[in-house]
Structure formats: structure tokens, C-alpha cells
Amino acid sequence: MDAMTAIVTRRSEKILTEPTPSDEEFHYLLSGAATAPDHGRLRPWRWILVRGEARAALVRAPAPTGSRAVGTGSSSLPEPPLRALLVFAPFPGHRIPEWEQLAAGCSMTHALMMLLHARGYGSIWRTGRLCTSPGLPALLHLAEGERLLGSLDIGTSPEGPRQRRPLPDVSDRVSVFEAVTAVRAAHGPREAVDAE
Ligand SMILES: Cc1cc2nc3c(=O)[nH]c(=O)nc-3n(C[C@H](O)[C@H](O)[C@H](O)COP(=O)(O)O)c2cc1C
């Protein structure tokens, strides 16, 4: 599968069943994903794998006042066979700003989703109540400063391989910064005209 096909056939899969990657396979794929762009090579993240009966403990975790328990967000959906919890573990006060560390974590996660997809596994990144549940940091023994960025639910989609999607129109998302614009910004319109 070429890279473009892999990217445009990946979908966030809401229904996931067995099989899932073993812990060893997850480690292998993560070692690939960990080569994603990461300023300072800090790897400011870690994963907690939750399988089997342990998944129920997440569902039972105390929810924020007024909301339902964590779960999958919809009682009609089965629990995914593997929930990989993404923990952001930033280096406070580091010369690499925190937003860049967060960007590195997101790059790694997308790479992992693509590697899972290339092996025939489905995944979906879920946030929602999981990230706001007041009981989860203690339940997961998160260290001070660590933050749950969600669950990467992993398994196999019963729907099988997806069609290529039409490519979105991104023409309004790109502009070209021209030399004359740079001159105008630096010196005003007169010099910009001279430069032309
Ligand atoms: C940071 C992040 C959080 C997300 N949280 C949820 C979520 O809580 N529930 C959900 O159904 N999908 C969630 N998604 C998946 C998006 O809804 C999904 O990527 C989007 O609908 C596009 O679908 P696609 O991935 O199949 O292209 C999340 C995606 C990202 C990147």
C-alpha cells in the first residue's frame, strides 16, 4: 500500500472487535511511531494498555458532576478489545515549549494509527469524558503534570477495508508568500513597487 492510499483509506473505527495487536506487536509498532517528528527527541508521552476485565474499571471511574460514566460514549457500542491510554508527560520548563511537546505526541499518535491501519487494524482516538473524569488520574497513577489525552481504541473493524475517500478541497488552506509582499511589509508600498 503506498502512503497516499494508506492515508486516505484510514478511518476512525467506532466498532472494533478482536483481533488486536499483542503487547509485543504494540511495542513494535510504537517503536516505529516514536520516530515521528519530535523537537528535542523528548518523547513526552507514554501509553497504558487496558485489556479484558480491566476495561470495566475505566467505565466505573467517577465521572464529572452531571455527566455519565466514562464508557465509550454510547451504550450501544461494544467496548473495544484494547484501549491504549495516551498520557502526555511534558518536561516542564524545558527549552522546547510545551505546545511543541504536545505536537510531538500528536505526530507520534497519528503515525501509530497509520501503522496499525497498514497492518489491518482499526483505531479511533477518543477523548470526551475520559479526559475530564476526575477519578482517572488517581486510578491510573498519573504523576503530577501528566495529562490523559484520550484513549486510542484498537481492534479490527467488522466493516473490513474502506474505500479511498475523495480528497478534500484544501485550496483555501494554502497561500504563497511572495517576495514583493515581503518588501511591502518591511518598507512600505513605495519600495515594493521599485522592487517589482
Ligand atoms: C484529539 C482527537 C480527539 C477525538 N475524540 C473523539 C471522541 O471523543 N469521540 C469520537 O467519536 N471521535 C473522536 N475523534 C475522532 C474524530 O472524530 C475523527 O477523526 C473525525 O470524525 C474524522 O473521522 P476519520 O478519522 O474517520 O477521518 C477524535 C480525534 C482526535 C484527533
Side-chain angles (χ1 to χ4, degrees), residues 2 13 56-58 60 63 66 69 75-76 90 97 104 141 166 172 175 183:
D2 66 280
E13 301 294 353
L58 292 184
R60 284 196 302 266
S75 55
S76 60
H141 300 291
D172 64 343
S175 60
V183 173

Side-chain angles (χ1 to χ4, degrees), residues 3-195:
M4 189 60 141
T5 302
I7 283 172
V8 298
T9 55
R10 181 211 57 81
R11 297 307 306 266
S12 293
E13 301 294 353
K14 291 201 158 86
I15 301 178
L16 293 162
T17 57
E18 295 284 355
T20 63
S22 64
D23 288 1
E24 292 71 29
E25 193 176 6
F26 183 89
H27 277 90
Y28 172 67
L29 296 176
L30 183 59
S31 61
T35 65
D38 178 345
H39 196 181
R41 281 274 164 249
L42 297 174
R43 302 201 179 94
W45 43 260
R46 63 189 180 91
W47 292 92
I48 302 171
L49 303 186
V50 187
R51 300 180 191 267
E53 289 175 9
R55 293 169 303 171
L58 292 184
V59 179
R60 284 196 302 266
T65 316
S67 73
R68 289 178 297 149
V70 173
T72 55
S74 167
S75 55
S76 60
L77 294 178
E79 276 285 304
L82 171 59
R83 305 193 98 179
L85 305 181
L86 172 56
V87 179
F88 181 47
F91 290 68
H94 196 276
R95 70 179 171 86
I96 307 296
E98 188 170 309
W99 79 264
E100 293 192 28
Q101 298 184 39
L102 188 57
C106 295
S107 302
M108 172 276 302
T109 304
H110 183 240
L112 181 59
M113 292 176 84
M114 291 309 309
L115 289 169
L116 287 162
H117 173 55
R119 290 211 158 196
Y121 296 118
S123 68
I124 181 169
W125 186 343
R126 286 188 183 278
T127 45
R129 287 182 295 280
L130 190 73
C131 294
T132 53
S133 171
L136 274 181
L139 185 71
L140 299 169
H141 300 291
L142 298 194
E144 201 173 323
E146 287 189 329
R147 204 167 87 219
L148 199 56
L149 295 186
S151 169
L152 192 64
D153 294 352
I154 302 171
T156 299
S157 167
E159 292 199 44
R162 302 290 201 118
Q163 299 290 315
R164 271 178 90 100
R165 315 186 232 199
L167 297 180
D169 178 8
V170 293
S171 51
D172 64 343
R173 295 292 196 271
V174 183
S175 60
V176 177
F177 182 66
E178 312 228 35
V180 64
T181 320
V183 173
R184 190 171 287 137
H187 306 292
R190 176 77 235 158
E191 288 81 350
V193 170
D194 293 346

